[in-house]
Amino acid sequence: MDRNTVLKQVNDIFIDVLENKTIILTDQTTASEIDEWDSLNHIHLVVSIEKHFKIRFTSKEIQSWKNVGEMINSIMEKISP
């Protein structure tokens, strides 16, 4: 699966979890740019992403993300053969 496909799927998860159809993620997108992306919804997003891609993140990984691009990097590392 390529990076753009992963970003599109993560964008769809954000739209679903945050109930905001106007979200358009980029690698540089941060939580401060999306009103609905608070600490509680961050947990919901991570769980939904883990279920969708059938992966698990460590707490250390999650805390290290500064933007969506770093989240996508973690996903790519886990799904790439």
Side-chain angles (χ1 to χ4, degrees):
M1 186 177 307
D2 69 25
R3 187 178 179 84
N4 287 335
T5 303
V6 171
L7 180 58
K8 168 78 172 86
Q9 291 178 11
V10 169
N11 199 98
D12 291 343
I13 291 167
F14 270 66
I15 288 170
D16 185 50
V17 170
L18 302 179
E19 298 177 354
N20 179 345
K21 295 184 187 324
T22 65
I23 293 173
I24 300 172
L25 299 177
T26 69
D27 279 351
Q28 291 75 36
T29 304
T30 63
S32 64
E33 297 171 45
I34 300 175
D35 291 339
E36 301 85 1
W37 189 358
D38 58 21
S39 57
L40 180 59
N41 278 331
H42 186 72
I43 295 166
H44 292 298
L45 289 165
V46 170
V47 169
S48 294
I49 290 166
E50 286 178 331
K51 284 182 182 177
H52 179 82
F53 292 102
K54 297 177 177 61
I55 58 176
R56 284 272 180 226
F57 298 114
T58 65
S59 297
K60 187 176 181 179
E61 283 175 303
I62 295 166
Q63 292 172 352
S64 74
W65 300 334
K66 293 176 183 59
N67 54 40
V68 170
E70 292 182 8
M71 179 189 295
I72 301 297
N73 290 342
S74 290
I75 295 168
M76 293 299 295
E77 286 176 17
K78 292 183 181 300
I79 66 171
S80 297

Coordinates of all heavy atoms in Angstrom, one line a residue:
M1 N 0.8 -1.2 0.0 CA 0.0 0.0 0.0 C 0.9 1.2 0.0 O 1.8 1.3 0.8 CB -0.9 0.0 1.3 CG -1.9 1.1 1.3 SD -3.0 1.0 2.8 CE -3.6 -0.7 2.7
D2 N 0.6 2.2 -0.9 CA 1.4 3.4 -0.9 C 1.0 4.5 0.1 O -0.1 4.4 0.6 CB 1.5 3.9 -2.4 CG 0.2 4.5 -2.9 OD1 -0.6 5.0 -2.0 OD2 0.0 4.6 -4.1
R3 N 1.9 5.4 0.3 CA 1.6 6.5 1.3 C 0.4 7.3 1.0 O -0.4 7.6 1.9 CB 2.9 7.4 1.3 CG 2.8 8.4 2.4 CD 4.1 9.3 2.4 NE 4.0 10.2 3.5 CZ 4.3 10.0 4.7 NH1 4.8 8.8 5.1 NH2 4.2 10.9 5.6
N4 N 0.1 7.6 -0.2 CA -1.1 8.4 -0.6 C -2.4 7.6 -0.2 O -3.4 8.2 0.2 CB -1.1 8.8 -2.0 CG -0.1 9.9 -2.3 OD1 0.3 10.7 -1.4 ND2 0.3 10.0 -3.6
T5 N -2.4 6.3 -0.5 CA -3.5 5.5 -0.1 C -3.7 5.5 1.4 O -4.9 5.6 1.9 CB -3.3 4.0 -0.6 OG1 -3.1 4.1 -2.1 CG2 -4.5 3.2 -0.3
V6 N -2.6 5.3 2.1 CA -2.7 5.3 3.6 C -3.3 6.7 4.1 O -4.2 6.7 4.9 CB -1.4 5.0 4.2 CG1 -1.4 5.2 5.8 CG2 -0.9 3.6 3.9
L7 N -2.7 7.8 3.5 CA -3.2 9.1 3.9 C -4.7 9.3 3.7 O -5.4 9.8 4.5 CB -2.4 10.2 3.2 CG -2.8 11.6 3.5 CD1 -2.7 11.9 5.0 CD2 -2.0 12.6 2.7
K8 N -5.2 8.8 2.5 CA -6.6 8.9 2.2 C -7.4 8.1 3.2 O -8.5 8.5 3.6 CB -6.8 8.3 0.7 CG -8.2 8.1 0.3 CD -9.0 9.4 0.0 CE -10.3 9.1 -0.6 NZ -11.4 9.0 0.4
Q9 N -7.0 6.9 3.5 CA -7.7 6.0 4.5 C -7.7 6.7 5.8 O -8.8 6.7 6.5 CB -7.1 4.6 4.5 CG -7.4 3.9 3.2 CD -6.8 2.5 3.2 OE1 -6.4 2.0 4.2 NE2 -6.8 1.8 2.0
V10 N -6.6 7.2 6.3 CA -6.6 7.9 7.6 C -7.5 9.2 7.5 O -8.2 9.4 8.5 CB -5.1 8.3 7.9 CG1 -5.1 9.3 9.1 CG2 -4.3 7.1 8.2
N11 N -7.5 9.9 6.4 CA -8.4 11.0 6.3 C -9.8 10.6 6.5 O -10.6 11.3 7.2 CB -8.2 11.7 4.9 CG -8.7 13.1 4.9 OD1 -7.9 14.1 5.0 ND2 -10.0 13.3 4.7
D12 N -10.2 9.5 5.8 CA -11.6 9.0 6.0 C -11.9 8.6 7.4 O -13.0 8.8 7.9 CB -11.8 7.7 5.1 CG -11.8 8.1 3.6 OD1 -12.0 9.3 3.2 OD2 -11.6 7.2 2.8
I13 N -10.9 8.1 8.1 CA -11.1 7.7 9.6 C -11.3 9.0 10.4 O -12.2 9.1 11.2 CB -9.9 6.9 10.1 CG1 -9.9 5.5 9.5 CG2 -10.0 6.8 11.6 CD1 -8.6 4.7 9.7
F14 N -10.5 10.0 10.1 CA -10.7 11.3 10.8 C -12.1 11.9 10.5 O -12.8 12.4 11.5 CB -9.6 12.3 10.3 CG -8.4 12.3 11.1 CD1 -7.5 11.2 11.1 CD2 -8.0 13.4 11.9 CE1 -6.3 11.2 11.8 CE2 -6.8 13.4 12.6 CZ -6.0 12.3 12.6
I15 N -12.5 11.9 9.3 CA -13.9 12.4 8.9 C -14.9 11.6 9.7 O -15.9 12.2 10.3 CB -14.1 12.3 7.4 CG1 -13.3 13.3 6.7 CG2 -15.6 12.4 7.1 CD1 -13.2 13.1 5.2
D16 N -14.8 10.3 9.8 CA -15.8 9.5 10.5 C -15.8 9.7 12.0 O -16.8 9.9 12.6 CB -15.5 8.0 10.2 CG -16.6 7.1 10.8 OD1 -17.8 7.3 10.6 OD2 -16.2 6.1 11.4
V17 N -14.6 9.6 12.6 CA -14.5 9.7 14.1 C -14.8 11.1 14.6 O -15.5 11.3 15.6 CB -13.0 9.3 14.5 CG1 -12.8 9.7 16.0 CG2 -12.8 7.9 14.3
L18 N -14.3 12.1 13.8 CA -14.6 13.5 14.3 C -15.9 14.1 13.7 O -16.2 15.3 14.0 CB -13.4 14.4 13.8 CG -12.0 14.0 14.4 CD1 -10.9 14.9 13.9 CD2 -12.0 13.9 15.9
E19 N -16.5 13.4 12.9 CA -17.8 13.8 12.3 C -17.7 15.1 11.6 O -18.5 16.0 11.9 CB -18.9 13.8 13.4 CG -19.2 12.4 13.9 CD -20.2 12.3 15.1 OE1 -20.7 13.4 15.5 OE2 -20.5 11.2 15.5
N20 N -16.7 15.3 10.8 CA -16.5 16.5 10.1 C -16.0 16.2 8.7 O -14.9 15.8 8.4 CB -15.4 17.4 10.8 CG -15.1 18.7 10.1 OD1 -15.4 18.9 9.0 ND2 -14.4 19.5 10.8
K21 N -17.0 16.4 7.7 CA -16.7 16.0 6.3 C -15.8 17.0 5.6 O -15.3 16.7 4.5 CB -18.0 15.9 5.6 CG -19.0 14.8 6.0 CD -20.2 14.8 5.2 CE -21.3 13.8 5.7 NZ -20.9 12.6 6.3
T22 N -15.4 18.1 6.3 CA -14.5 19.1 5.6 C -13.0 18.8 5.9 O -12.2 19.6 5.3 CB -14.9 20.5 6.0 OG1 -14.6 20.6 7.4 CG2 -16.4 20.8 5.8
I23 N -12.7 17.8 6.6 CA -11.3 17.6 7.0 C -10.5 17.1 5.8 O -10.9 16.2 5.1 CB -11.2 16.5 8.1 CG1 -11.7 17.1 9.4 CG2 -9.7 16.1 8.3 CD1 -11.8 16.1 10.5
I24 N -9.4 17.8 5.5 CA -8.5 17.4 4.5 C -7.1 17.4 5.1 O -6.5 18.4 5.4 CB -8.5 18.3 3.2 CG1 -9.9 18.4 2.6 CG2 -7.4 17.9 2.2 CD1 -10.1 19.4 1.6
L25 N -6.6 16.2 5.4 CA -5.3 16.0 6.0 C -4.1 16.2 5.0 O -4.2 15.7 3.9 CB -5.2 14.7 6.7 CG -6.2 14.3 7.8 CD1 -6.0 12.9 8.3 CD2 -6.1 15.3 8.9
T26 N -3.0 16.7 5.6 CA -1.7 16.7 4.9 C -0.7 16.2 5.9 O -1.0 16.0 7.0 CB -1.3 18.1 4.4 OG1 -1.0 18.9 5.6 CG2 -2.4 18.8 3.6
D27 N 0.5 16.0 5.4 CA 1.6 15.5 6.3 C 1.8 16.5 7.4 O 2.2 16.2 8.5 CB 2.9 15.3 5.6 CG 2.9 13.9 4.9 OD1 2.0 13.1 5.1 OD2 3.8 13.7 4.1
Q28 N 1.6 17.8 7.1 CA 1.9 18.9 8.1 C 0.7 19.1 9.1 O 0.9 19.9 10.0 CB 2.2 20.2 7.4 CG 3.6 20.1 6.6 CD 3.5 19.3 5.3 OE1 2.5 19.3 4.6 NE2 4.5 18.6 5.0
T29 N -0.5 18.5 8.9 CA -1.6 18.8 9.7 C -1.3 18.4 11.2 O -0.8 17.4 11.4 CB -2.9 18.0 9.2 OG1 -3.1 18.4 7.9 CG2 -4.1 18.4 10.1
T30 N -1.7 19.3 12.1 CA -1.5 19.1 13.5 C -2.9 19.2 14.2 O -3.9 19.7 13.6 CB -0.6 20.1 14.2 OG1 -1.2 21.4 14.1 CG2 0.8 20.1 13.6
A31 N -3.0 18.7 15.4 CA -4.2 18.7 16.2 C -4.7 20.1 16.4 O -6.0 20.3 16.4 CB -4.0 18.0 17.5
S32 N -3.9 21.1 16.5 CA -4.3 22.4 16.8 C -5.1 23.0 15.6 O -5.8 24.0 15.7 CB -3.1 23.3 17.1 OG -2.2 23.4 16.0
E33 N -4.9 22.4 14.4 CA -5.6 22.9 13.2 C -7.0 22.4 13.0 O -7.8 22.8 12.2 CB -4.8 22.6 12.0 CG -3.4 23.2 12.0 CD -2.5 22.7 10.9 OE1 -3.0 22.6 9.7 OE2 -1.4 22.4 11.1
I34 N -7.4 21.3 13.8 CA -8.7 20.7 13.7 C -9.4 20.8 15.0 O -9.0 20.2 16.0 CB -8.6 19.2 13.2 CG1 -7.8 19.1 11.9 CG2 -9.9 18.6 13.1 CD1 -7.5 17.8 11.4
D35 N -10.5 21.6 15.0 CA -11.2 21.9 16.3 C -11.6 20.7 17.1 O -11.5 20.6 18.3 CB -12.5 22.7 16.0 CG -12.1 24.2 15.6 OD1 -11.0 24.6 15.8 OD2 -13.0 24.8 14.9
E36 N -12.1 19.6 16.4 CA -12.6 18.4 17.0 C -11.5 17.5 17.5 O -11.8 16.6 18.3 CB -13.5 17.7 16.1 CG -14.7 18.4 15.5 CD -14.4 19.3 14.3 OE1 -13.3 19.3 13.8 OE2 -15.4 19.9 13.8
W37 N -10.3 17.7 17.1 CA -9.2 16.8 17.5 C -8.6 17.2 18.9 O -7.6 17.9 19.0 CB -8.1 16.9 16.4 CG -7.0 15.9 16.5 CD1 -6.9 14.9 17.5 CD2 -5.9 15.7 15.6 NE1 -5.8 14.2 17.2 CE2 -5.2 14.6 16.1 CE3 -5.6 16.3 14.5 CZ2 -4.0 14.2 15.4 CZ3 -4.4 15.9 13.8 CH2 -3.6 14.9 14.3
D38 N -9.3 16.7 19.9 CA -8.9 17.0 21.3 C -8.3 15.7 21.8 O -8.1 14.7 21.1 CB -10.0 17.5 22.1 CG -11.2 16.5 22.2 OD1 -11.1 15.3 21.9 OD2 -12.3 17.0 22.5
S39 N -7.9 15.7 23.1 CA -7.2 14.5 23.6 C -8.0 13.3 23.7 O -7.5 12.2 23.4 CB -6.6 14.8 25.0 OG -7.7 15.2 25.9
L40 N -9.3 13.4 23.9 CA -10.2 12.3 24.0 C -10.4 11.7 22.6 O -10.3 10.5 22.3 CB -11.6 12.6 24.6 CG -12.6 11.5 24.6 CD1 -12.1 10.3 25.5 CD2 -13.9 12.0 25.2
N41 N -10.6 12.6 21.6 CA -10.8 12.1 20.2 C -9.5 11.6 19.6 O -9.5 10.7 18.8 CB -11.3 13.2 19.3 CG -12.8 13.4 19.4 OD1 -13.5 12.4 19.7 ND2 -13.3 14.6 19.2
H42 N -8.4 12.0 20.2 CA -7.1 11.5 19.7 C -7.0 10.0 20.0 O -6.6 9.2 19.2 CB -5.9 12.2 20.4 CG -4.6 11.8 19.9 ND1 -4.1 12.1 18.7 CD2 -3.6 11.0 20.5 CE1 -2.9 11.6 18.5 NE2 -2.6 11.0 19.6
I43 N -7.5 9.6 21.2 CA -7.6 8.2 21.6 C -8.5 7.4 20.6 O -8.1 6.3 20.1 CB -8.0 8.0 23.0 CG1 -7.0 8.6 24.0 CG2 -8.3 6.5 23.4 CD1 -7.5 8.8 25.4
H44 N -9.7 8.0 20.3 CA -10.6 7.3 19.4 C -10.0 7.2 18.0 O -10.1 6.1 17.3 CB -11.9 8.1 19.3 CG -12.7 8.1 20.5 ND1 -13.2 7.0 21.1 CD2 -13.1 9.1 21.4 CE1 -13.9 7.3 22.2 NE2 -13.8 8.6 22.4
L45 N -9.2 8.2 17.6 CA -8.6 8.1 16.3 C -7.5 7.0 16.2 O -7.5 6.2 15.3 CB -7.9 9.5 15.9 CG -8.9 10.6 15.6 CD1 -8.1 12.0 15.7 CD2 -9.5 10.4 14.2
V46 N -6.7 7.0 17.3 CA -5.6 6.0 17.3 C -6.2 4.6 17.3 O -5.8 3.7 16.5 CB -4.7 6.2 18.5 CG1 -3.8 5.0 18.7 CG2 -3.9 7.5 18.4
V47 N -7.3 4.3 18.1 CA -7.9 3.0 18.2 C -8.5 2.7 16.8 O -8.4 1.5 16.3 CB -9.0 3.0 19.3 CG1 -9.8 1.7 19.2 CG2 -8.3 3.1 20.7
S48 N -9.2 3.6 16.2 CA -9.8 3.3 14.9 C -8.7 3.0 13.8 O -8.9 2.1 13.0 CB -10.6 4.5 14.4 OG -11.7 4.7 15.3
I49 N -7.6 3.8 13.9 CA -6.5 3.5 12.9 C -5.9 2.1 13.1 O -5.7 1.4 12.2 CB -5.5 4.7 13.0 CG1 -6.1 5.9 12.4 CG2 -4.2 4.3 12.3 CD1 -5.3 7.2 12.7
E50 N -5.7 1.8 14.4 CA -5.1 0.5 14.7 C -6.1 -0.6 14.2 O -5.6 -1.6 13.7 CB -4.9 0.3 16.3 CG -3.8 1.1 16.8 CD -3.6 1.0 18.3 OE1 -4.6 0.8 19.0 OE2 -2.5 1.1 18.8
K51 N -7.4 -0.5 14.4 CA -8.3 -1.5 14.0 C -8.3 -1.6 12.5 O -8.3 -2.7 11.9 CB -9.7 -1.2 14.5 CG -9.9 -1.5 15.9 CD -11.4 -1.2 16.3 CE -11.6 -1.5 17.8 NZ -12.9 -1.1 18.3
H52 N -8.4 -0.4 11.8 CA -8.4 -0.4 10.3 C -7.2 -1.1 9.7 O -7.4 -1.9 8.8 CB -8.5 1.0 9.9 CG -8.6 1.2 8.4 ND1 -9.7 1.0 7.7 CD2 -7.6 1.4 7.5 CE1 -9.5 1.1 6.4 NE2 -8.2 1.4 6.2
F53 N -6.0 -0.8 10.2 CA -4.8 -1.3 9.6 C -4.3 -2.6 10.3 O -3.3 -3.2 9.9 CB -3.7 -0.3 9.6 CG -4.0 0.9 8.7 CD1 -4.4 2.1 9.2 CD2 -3.8 0.8 7.3 CE1 -4.7 3.2 8.3 CE2 -4.0 1.8 6.4 CZ -4.5 3.0 7.0
K54 N -5.0 -3.0 11.3 CA -4.7 -4.2 12.1 C -3.2 -4.1 12.6 O -2.4 -5.0 12.4 CB -4.9 -5.5 11.2 CG -6.3 -5.7 10.8 CD -6.5 -6.9 9.9 CE -7.9 -7.2 9.6 NZ -8.6 -6.1 8.8
I55 N -3.0 -3.0 13.3 CA -1.6 -2.8 13.8 C -1.8 -2.3 15.3 O -2.9 -2.0 15.7 CB -0.9 -1.7 13.0 CG1 -1.6 -0.4 12.9 CG2 -0.5 -2.3 11.6 CD1 -0.9 0.7 12.2
R56 N -0.7 -2.1 16.0 CA -0.7 -1.6 17.3 C 0.5 -0.6 17.4 O 1.6 -0.8 16.9 CB -0.4 -2.7 18.4 CG -1.6 -3.5 18.6 CD -2.5 -2.9 19.7 NE -3.7 -3.7 19.9 CZ -4.9 -3.2 20.1 NH1 -5.1 -1.9 19.9 NH2 -5.9 -4.0 20.3
F57 N 0.2 0.5 18.1 CA 1.2 1.5 18.4 C 1.6 1.4 19.8 O 0.8 1.1 20.7 CB 0.7 2.9 18.1 CG 0.3 3.2 16.7 CD1 -1.1 3.4 16.4 CD2 1.2 3.2 15.7 CE1 -1.5 3.7 15.1 CE2 0.8 3.4 14.4 CZ -0.5 3.7 14.1
T58 N 2.8 1.8 20.1 CA 3.3 1.9 21.5 C 2.9 3.3 22.0 O 2.8 4.2 21.2 CB 4.8 1.7 21.7 OG1 5.5 2.8 21.0 CG2 5.2 0.3 21.1
S59 N 2.9 3.5 23.3 CA 2.6 4.8 23.9 C 3.7 5.8 23.4 O 3.4 7.0 23.1 CB 2.6 4.8 25.4 OG 1.5 4.0 25.8
K60 N 4.9 5.3 23.4 CA 6.1 6.1 23.0 C 5.9 6.6 21.5 O 6.2 7.8 21.3 CB 7.4 5.3 23.1 CG 8.6 6.1 22.9 CD 9.8 5.2 23.2 CE 11.1 6.1 23.0 NZ 12.3 5.3 23.3
E61 N 5.5 5.7 20.6 CA 5.2 6.2 19.3 C 4.2 7.3 19.2 O 4.4 8.3 18.5 CB 4.7 5.0 18.4 CG 5.8 4.0 18.0 CD 5.2 2.8 17.3 OE1 4.3 2.1 17.8 OE2 5.6 2.6 16.1
I62 N 3.1 7.0 19.8 CA 1.9 8.0 19.8 C 2.4 9.3 20.3 O 2.1 10.4 19.7 CB 0.7 7.4 20.6 CG1 0.2 6.1 19.9 CG2 -0.4 8.5 20.7 CD1 -0.7 5.3 20.8
Q63 N 3.1 9.3 21.4 CA 3.5 10.6 22.0 C 4.6 11.3 21.2 O 4.8 12.5 21.3 CB 4.1 10.4 23.4 CG 3.0 9.9 24.4 CD 3.6 9.5 25.8 OE1 4.8 9.4 25.9 NE2 2.7 9.2 26.7
S64 N 5.3 10.6 20.3 CA 6.3 11.2 19.5 C 5.8 12.0 18.3 O 6.5 12.8 17.7 CB 7.3 10.2 19.0 OG 6.8 9.4 18.0
W65 N 4.5 11.7 17.9 CA 4.0 12.3 16.7 C 3.8 13.8 16.9 O 3.1 14.2 17.8 CB 2.6 11.7 16.3 CG 2.7 10.2 16.0 CD1 3.8 9.5 15.5 CD2 1.6 9.3 16.2 NE1 3.4 8.2 15.4 CE2 2.1 8.0 15.8 CE3 0.3 9.4 16.6 CZ2 1.3 6.9 15.8 CZ3 -0.5 8.3 16.6 CH2 0.0 7.0 16.2
K66 N 4.3 14.6 15.9 CA 4.1 16.0 16.0 C 3.1 16.5 14.9 O 2.6 17.6 15.0 CB 5.4 16.7 15.7 CG 6.4 16.5 16.9 CD 7.7 17.2 16.6 CE 8.8 16.9 17.6 NZ 9.0 15.5 17.9
N67 N 2.8 15.6 13.9 CA 1.8 15.9 12.9 C 1.3 14.6 12.2 O 1.8 13.5 12.6 CB 2.5 16.9 11.9 CG 3.8 16.3 11.3 OD1 3.9 15.1 11.0 ND2 4.7 17.2 11.1
V68 N 0.4 14.7 11.3 CA -0.1 13.6 10.6 C 0.9 12.8 9.8 O 0.9 11.6 9.8 CB -1.3 14.0 9.7 CG1 -1.8 12.9 8.8 CG2 -2.5 14.5 10.5
G69 N 1.9 13.5 9.3 CA 3.0 12.9 8.5 C 3.7 11.9 9.4 O 4.1 10.8 8.9
E70 N 4.0 12.2 10.6 CA 4.7 11.3 11.5 C 3.8 10.1 11.9 O 4.3 9.0 12.0 CB 5.2 12.0 12.7 CG 6.3 13.0 12.4 CD 6.9 13.7 13.6 OE1 6.5 13.4 14.7 OE2 7.7 14.7 13.4
M71 N 2.5 10.3 12.0 CA 1.6 9.2 12.2 C 1.6 8.3 11.0 O 1.7 7.0 11.2 CB 0.2 9.8 12.4 CG -0.9 8.7 12.7 SD -2.6 9.4 12.7 CE -2.5 10.5 14.1
I72 N 1.6 8.8 9.8 CA 1.6 8.0 8.6 C 2.9 7.2 8.5 O 2.9 6.1 8.1 CB 1.4 8.9 7.3 CG1 0.1 9.7 7.4 CG2 1.5 8.1 6.0 CD1 -1.2 8.9 7.4
N73 N 4.0 7.9 8.9 CA 5.3 7.2 8.8 C 5.2 5.9 9.7 O 5.7 4.8 9.3 CB 6.4 8.1 9.3 CG 6.8 9.2 8.3 OD1 6.4 9.1 7.2 ND2 7.4 10.2 8.8
S74 N 4.6 6.0 10.9 CA 4.5 4.9 11.8 C 3.6 3.8 11.2 O 3.9 2.6 11.3 CB 3.9 5.3 13.2 OG 4.8 6.1 13.9
I75 N 2.5 4.2 10.6 CA 1.7 3.2 9.9 C 2.4 2.5 8.8 O 2.4 1.3 8.7 CB 0.4 3.9 9.4 CG1 -0.5 4.5 10.5 CG2 -0.4 2.9 8.5 CD1 -1.6 5.4 10.0
M76 N 3.1 3.3 8.0 CA 3.9 2.7 6.9 C 4.9 1.7 7.3 O 5.1 0.6 6.7 CB 4.5 3.8 6.0 CG 3.6 4.7 5.3 SD 2.5 3.9 4.1 CE 3.7 3.3 2.9
E77 N 5.6 2.0 8.4 CA 6.6 1.1 9.0 C 6.0 -0.3 9.4 O 6.6 -1.3 9.2 CB 7.3 1.7 10.2 CG 8.2 2.8 9.8 CD 8.8 3.5 11.1 OE1 8.7 2.9 12.2 OE2 9.4 4.6 10.9
K78 N 4.7 -0.2 9.9 CA 4.1 -1.4 10.4 C 3.4 -2.2 9.4 O 3.3 -3.4 9.5 CB 3.1 -1.0 11.5 CG 3.7 -0.4 12.8 CD 2.7 -0.1 13.8 CE 3.4 0.4 15.1 NZ 4.4 -0.5 15.7
I79 N 3.0 -1.6 8.3 CA 2.3 -2.3 7.2 C 3.1 -2.8 6.1 O 2.7 -3.6 5.3 CB 1.0 -1.6 6.7 CG1 1.4 -0.3 6.0 CG2 0.0 -1.3 7.8 CD1 0.3 0.4 5.2
S80 N 4.3 -2.2 6.0 CA 5.3 -2.6 4.9 C 5.9 -3.9 5.2 O 6.3 -4.2 6.3 CB 6.3 -1.5 4.7 OG 5.7 -0.3 4.4
P81 N 6.0 -4.7 4.2 CA 6.6 -6.1 4.4 C 8.1 -6.0 4.6 O 8.8 -5.1 4.4 CB 6.3 -6.8 3.1 CG 6.0 -5.8 2.1 CD 5.5 -4.5 2.8

